[in-house]
């Protein structure tokens, strides 16, 4: 589930990794609050005991990089929350990501052709949540739409420091989506992600999408961009 907000590019520039630029849709930059579920996760094809199924909530924005004749469109994570401390530690240590730990829970319930999705997380004393209801019918993503822009970014770019960026590729088929019916967002963005993003507390989402998902693989043959 992707909760999308418009944002001034100047807010994102301090988080921008070396070698990439902010990607926009119709000259507008976006950040997304994302809830999703890992299911039957593996490493090198091997199941992960006790840790294969878990939720993640992250805040991301969209970037691009021209590599020869190829335009690589990807995302940069401001923060990624998971319910296992060991997952956060390993991701930060091995892949220089920006993970942290929080108590988390989620539910996906379908009744009368309505899909109700809930994600909640509690990093400290206060619990935050995102809830939305969607039609359970499957829709194709429309070409050149904002929905396509949000979902069709297949690279991740990690800011290691001001001089180095790690690039990796995420592989999955083009997803189908569900149509939004209603939503409720309970998140203190300033408390969660820093005062740069506190303005989102008073800004309505520009759009909310849900993708049905699929098998996903990640090419961890990291390409290092060094100044």
């Amino acid at each position: 589930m992707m909760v999308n907000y418009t944002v001034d590019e100047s807010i994102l520039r301090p988080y921008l990794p070396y070698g990439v630029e902010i990607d926009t849709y119709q000259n507008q930059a976006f950040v997304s609050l994302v809830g999703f579920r890992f299911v039957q996760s593996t490493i090198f094809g091997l199941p992960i005991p006790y840790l294969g199924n878990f939720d993640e909530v992250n805040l991301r924005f969209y970037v691009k990089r021209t590599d020869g004749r190829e335009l690589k469109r990807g995302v940069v994570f401001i923060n990624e929350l998971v319910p296992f401390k060991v997952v956060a530690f390993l991701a930060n240590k091995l892949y220089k990501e920006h993970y942290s730990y929080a108590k988390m829970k989620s539910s996906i319930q379908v009744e009368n052709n309505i899909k109700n999705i809930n994600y909640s997380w509690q990093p400290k004393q206060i619990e935050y949540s995102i809830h939305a209801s969607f039609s359970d019918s499957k829709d194709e993503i429309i070409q050149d739409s904002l929905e396509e822009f949000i979902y069709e970014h297949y690279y991740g770019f990690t800011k290691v420091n001001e001089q180095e960026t790690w690039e990796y590729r995420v592989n999955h088929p083009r997803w189908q989506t569900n149509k939004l019916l209603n939503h409720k967002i309970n998140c203190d963005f300033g408390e969660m992600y820093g005062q740069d993003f506190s303005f989102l507390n008073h800004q309505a989402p520009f759009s909310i999408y849900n993708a049905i998902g699929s098998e996903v693989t990640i090419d961890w043959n990291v390409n290092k961009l060094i100044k």
Side-chain angles (χ1 to χ4, degrees), residues 40-53:
Q40 299 178 356
S41 303
T42 63
I43 297 179
F44 305 117
L46 299 176
I48 307 172
Y50 308 108
L51 303 177
N53 300 334

Side-chain angles (χ1 to χ4, degrees), residues 116-134:
N116 293 298
I117 303 178
N118 294 277
Y119 287 93
S120 63
W121 62 99
Q122 187 175 342
K124 295 180 182 178
Q125 300 302 317
I126 301 175
E127 184 176 83
Y128 303 119
S129 62
I130 50 179
H131 162 80
S133 297
F134 300 87

